[in-house]
Amino acid sequence: MTVQVQVVEEAQSAAAGAKTFPGSDSRKYNYFEPKGRKATHYEDVTVDVQPDPERYLLQNWIISFGDGTPTYSKDWTALKSSDWHLYRAPDQEWERTHYQRQSTIVGMIQNVVDNARRAGAPTRFDKAWVKVLQDQVGAFKHAEYGIGTALMRAQRYGYTQMVNNAILTNSSYKLRFAQDLTLYLSEIGLDISGFDADAGKKHWLEDPAWQPTRELVEHARGSDDFLKQYFITNVIYEPLIGELFRSGFVMQVAAAQNDFSTPAVVSAAEADYERNLANAVELFALLTGDAQHGAENKAILQAWFDQYGSMGVNAALNLQPIWSSPRVKTAQFTDALASARNRVEAICREIGIMAGLPEIEPAASLAVAE
């Protein structure tokens, strides 16, 4: 009697279904370790969407660039991580929720604009305030667009989908807000005689008050390190320029100029920043707390802060004359700058670096309440 023995070798292939793993027949996607007790919907649709050779690609990256550079590389940032896949964005935003939130914001802003124009509100704006909207808010939209385009480049280079998503949604918010301001100024300009919708570009390119801000934005756009771009945006630009101008000026001063619509438009960007900041702090704190690379990452982030923090403070100080532009002055630049500095210090504490901003005092306050 002859006995035939069949030997089955384990499949070594990257093809789908070539190998089974625990839970492969489940729709719970439990092949990854969730951050909490149970995987969230965000994790189900985000984690490992972008695999890498350290997890599932048996044959290394499937494609590469002509010079041999892989599809994704850890060398695209100076920062290092023992496991890039540990990061989870606190806002847990993914494609569907992002579109829903953006749509809600756009609808809200359009309602504000339509109601304001229907009531004739723009015609009652103080004349000096109209020039501020035309020149300064018009210039600010270019800063927001510049930051948005910098992040648009940055999001391509993240090593995992979770990192990419956080940077991409950040970029999307900035580009949407730049568009919000463009459309808003264009629409209210239809009701205001002599309103120059192109004046903002001229101020962005030529006004001395905006040139240090422009320099910082161009540094962000020109960087070849995607996490440096993300760092400049959320740790330097946003608190020292973006939030300073939005919250410390526009949202405090507008009502006294008979303007109740502009703060509503600008407020959307304040909510955007809270989400983007939480995501950024989570990522940078994870990197500074890395058991293997934490000390090196702290040194790198500190060097970035020391270089760009002084540029941010200089940019903020150059914006001071804008606070004296309205006829009715209800906010002081010194208070806004102090709040911005406190914000930066709090952010740096969360990340684990020192907020060594230069001790530069602004000129005597030009904004005194009337």
Side-chain angles (χ1 to χ4, degrees):
M1 181 178 181
T2 302
V3 178
Q4 294 182 342
V5 178
Q6 184 180 10
V7 179
V8 180
E9 295 182 358
E10 182 181 0
Q12 295 294 327
S13 169
K19 185 177 181 179
T20 59
F21 51 85
S24 61
D25 59 347
S26 170
R27 295 186 61 83
K28 295 297 184 182
Y29 304 100
N30 58 351
Y31 50 83
F32 63 84
E33 188 69 29
K35 183 177 181 180
R37 187 175 62 86
K38 292 178 58 179
T40 63
H41 196 174
Y42 156 78
E43 289 178 308
D44 284 343
V45 299
T46 308
V47 178
D48 287 322
V49 168
Q50 179 180 300
D52 66 64
E54 295 180 1
R55 293 168 78 88
Y56 308 115
L57 296 180
L58 301 182
Q59 78 283 34
N60 209 328
W61 294 106
I62 299 172
I63 60 175
S64 63
F65 294 95
D67 61 358
T69 302
T71 308
Y72 291 92
S73 173
K74 295 179 180 179
D75 295 334
W76 288 339
T77 179
L79 300 173
K80 297 180 175 63
S81 174
S82 300
D83 184 0
W84 286 103
H85 294 268
L86 289 177
Y87 176 70
R88 306 286 193 273
D91 70 349
Q92 297 199 14
E93 190 152 301
W94 59 286
E95 188 173 342
R96 180 180 180 183
T97 56
H98 180 67
Y99 290 150
Q100 289 174 332
R101 186 169 186 273
Q102 290 282 58
S103 177
T104 299
I105 292 172
V106 170
M108 178 274 291
I109 291 175
Q110 191 59 55
N111 284 337
V112 168
V113 176
D114 289 345
N115 290 335
R117 293 191 64 200
R118 190 179 299 114
T123 62
R124 295 190 291 273
F125 291 175
D126 186 271
K127 291 183 178 180
W129 181 247
V130 168
K131 186 167 177 57
V132 171
L133 294 177
Q134 169 187 284
D135 298 347
Q136 310 305 340
V137 176
F140 180 60
K141 71 181 183 184
H142 292 280
E144 294 289 289
Y145 178 79
I147 288 295
T149 55
L151 294 176
M152 180 59 72
R153 176 194 179 277
Q155 63 83 26
R156 163 62 181 83
Y157 296 92
Y159 199 69
T160 73
Q161 188 74 7
M162 291 81 74
V163 174
N164 286 356
N165 270 10
I167 301 176
L168 179 58
T169 55
N170 197 158
S171 171
S172 179
Y173 287 139
K174 304 309 285 181
L175 294 176
R176 189 219 71 236
F177 182 56
Q179 184 180 63
D180 292 342
L181 293 179
T182 301
L183 295 175
Y184 173 67
L185 294 176
S186 296
E187 291 203 44
I188 64 172
L190 296 173
D191 301 332
I192 302 173
S193 177
F195 190 89
D196 184 359
D198 296 324
K201 181 178 180 180
K202 181 177 176 64
H203 278 264
W204 173 246
L205 294 175
E206 301 176 10
D207 190 337
W210 286 104
Q211 298 319 295
T213 297
R214 185 177 161 205
E215 179 185 15
L216 181 62
V217 171
E218 290 180 354
H219 270 271
R221 294 190 67 187
S223 174
D224 59 1
D225 186 309
F226 76 96
L227 284 184
K228 181 188 287 188
Q229 294 176 303
Y230 194 44
F231 181 86
I232 293 172
T233 295
N234 289 295
V235 181
I236 307 297
Y237 168 83
E238 279 284 23
L240 289 174
I241 299 168
E243 199 172 45
L244 176 82
F245 184 78
R246 294 188 305 260
S247 179
F249 177 65
V250 176
M251 295 182 68
Q252 291 196 41
V253 175
Q257 325 303 321
N258 296 324
D259 178 4
F260 297 92
S261 56
T262 304
V265 175
V266 170
S267 67
E270 296 296 87
D272 292 341
Y273 180 44
E274 292 298 333
R275 301 170 70 89
N276 296 328
L277 178 61
N279 290 344
V281 167
E282 179 80 8
L283 177 58
F284 292 125
L286 182 67
L287 294 173
T288 58
D290 189 285
Q292 183 178 351
H293 305 289
E296 182 183 357
N297 289 336
K298 278 187 179 182
I300 292 170
L301 289 174
Q302 191 66 61
W304 290 351
F305 184 86
D306 293 343
Q307 178 182 359
Y308 297 106
S310 58
M311 291 178 63
V313 170
N314 183 49
L317 289 171
N318 273 268
L319 296 178
Q320 180 176 1
I322 296 175
W323 268 249
S324 10
S325 299
R327 184 180 62 83
V328 181
K329 303 171 178 63
T330 58
Q332 295 204 12
F333 176 79
T334 50
D335 294 338
L337 182 62
S339 178
R341 292 179 67 105
N342 289 338
R343 176 73 138 168
V344 173
E345 291 173 0
I347 293 169
C348 289
R349 282 196 300 270
E350 291 291 323
I351 293 174
I353 61 175
M354 298 294 293
L357 291 174
E359 291 295 334
I360 303 176
E361 291 297 327
S365 177
L366 298 176
V368 180
E370 291 187 352

